[in-house]
């Protein structure tokens, strides 16, 4: 029996077909918005500032188990690896934003609202799914937690700057209409704390109890 078969056998039914569930959720969301236009206002009624409460609860439940397994005392080793940190910065803050910007310009230049939305998504670093995919792949939890935290700090500091450059300045340079998106550093910090900081604290406490 191959090791690949053994790895698949260890995954639960939900985990094994996680990609399928994600695509089904995307299709359901698009269909709900198309056939029930007023659903947006219903969903937004659960909004607190820039945070959607049901989404926040779902992400917390999804990310807590992996973060509880992190050996936080070993995170210092992650930040000593300049090669990994540098590669992460290039991928997340050079290649990622540039790629999403080009895709938005090429395919959505006639739909400015969608173009801006795609660019904004491209500028936001993924937190939840990185941790979940790493857990399913049996990856290094310390490196994942360290890199997620590292990029979250950069997101707080530079998301507003990137939004101004990629949404307001660059489109006008190539003849497209730019947009002004007001996203403050405080709003980004609040979102990062809700989606990540709140999880790191109990995760660290739980991991400390297990290590003792």
């Amino acid at each position: 029996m191959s090791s690949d078969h053994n790895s698949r056998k260890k995954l639960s039914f939900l985990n094994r077909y996680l990609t399928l569930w994600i695509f089904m959720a995307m299709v359901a969301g698009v269909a709900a918005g198309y056939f029930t236009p007023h659903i947006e206002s219903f969903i937004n009624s659960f909004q607190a500032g820039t945070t959607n409460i049901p989404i926040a609860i779902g992400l917390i439940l999804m990310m807590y188990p992996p973060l509880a397994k992190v050996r936080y005392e070993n995170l210092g080793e992650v930040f000593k690896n300049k090669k990994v940190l540098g590669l992460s910065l290039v991928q997340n803050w050079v290649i990622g934003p540039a790629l999403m910007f080009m895709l938005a310009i090429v395919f959505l230049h006639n739909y400015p609202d969608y173009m801006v939305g795609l660019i904004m998504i491209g500028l936001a670093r993924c937190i939840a799914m990185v941790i979940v995919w790493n857990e399913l792949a049996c990856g290094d939890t310390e490196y994942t937690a360290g890199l997620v935290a590292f990029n979250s700090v950069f997101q707080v500091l530079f998301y507003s700057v990137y939004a101004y450059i990629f949404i307001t300045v660059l489109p006008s340079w190539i003849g497209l209409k730019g947009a002004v998106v007001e996203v403050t550093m405080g709003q980004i910090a609040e979102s990062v704390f809700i989606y990540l900081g709140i999880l790191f604290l109990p995760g660290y406490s739980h991991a400390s109890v297990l290590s003792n």
Side-chain angles (χ1 to χ4, degrees):
M1 186 178 293
S2 66
S3 59
D4 181 59
H5 179 74
N6 287 333
S7 298
R8 290 199 305 268
K9 197 172 182 180
K10 292 178 182 178
L11 295 176
S12 68
F13 177 77
L14 289 176
N15 289 340
R16 187 181 305 175
Y17 298 102
L18 180 59
T19 303
L20 175 62
W21 312 141
I22 292 173
F23 276 107
M24 288 177 64
M26 292 167 61
V27 171
V30 172
Y34 181 80
F35 293 108
T36 315
H38 299 296
I39 196 171
E40 179 183 357
S41 58
F42 173 74
I43 294 174
N44 288 337
S45 66
F46 299 99
Q47 195 89 358
T50 59
T51 303
N52 185 277
I53 303 303
I55 293 177
I57 293 173
L59 290 176
I60 288 173
L61 292 175
M62 188 166 54
M63 291 191 293
Y64 176 78
L67 288 178
K69 299 177 182 178
V70 175
R71 295 188 295 271
Y72 290 89
E73 67 276 8
N74 295 336
L75 285 183
E77 298 299 320
V78 177
F79 297 106
K80 293 179 182 178
N81 194 329
K82 294 182 175 58
K83 183 177 180 179
V84 170
L85 294 179
L87 179 62
S88 178
L89 286 179
V90 171
Q91 288 179 328
N92 285 289
W93 298 102
V94 178
I95 297 175
L99 176 61
M100 295 299 280
F101 177 78
M102 288 189 292
L103 291 174
I105 295 301
V106 171
F107 294 104
L108 299 173
H109 57 273
N110 292 326
Y111 305 92
D113 290 341
Y114 290 110
M115 183 185 75
V116 170
L118 181 59
I119 294 172
M120 291 185 69
I121 291 174
L123 298 179
R125 299 303 89 211
C126 179
I127 293 175
M129 293 315 299
V130 169
I131 296 174
V132 172
W133 291 126
N134 179 76
E135 173 75 2
L136 293 178
C138 299
D140 191 304
T141 55
E142 285 73 41
Y143 265 91
T144 302
L147 291 176
V148 165
F150 183 62
N151 282 288
S152 295
V153 171
F154 270 77
Q155 185 159 294
V156 171
L157 295 177
F158 297 112
Y159 187 88
S160 300
V161 177
Y162 268 64
Y164 173 72
I165 294 173
F166 281 92
I167 296 174
T168 305
V169 177
L170 291 184
S172 63
W173 286 5
I174 56 178
L176 297 176
K177 183 179 179 181
V180 177
V181 178
E182 296 184 1
V183 182
T184 67
M185 189 180 295
Q187 289 174 321
I188 300 299
E190 178 185 356
S191 295
V192 169
F193 175 75
I194 291 173
Y195 291 119
L196 188 63
I198 290 178
L199 281 169
F200 264 112
L201 294 176
Y204 176 78
S205 301
H206 183 70
S208 298
V209 171
L210 291 179
S211 63
N212 293 331

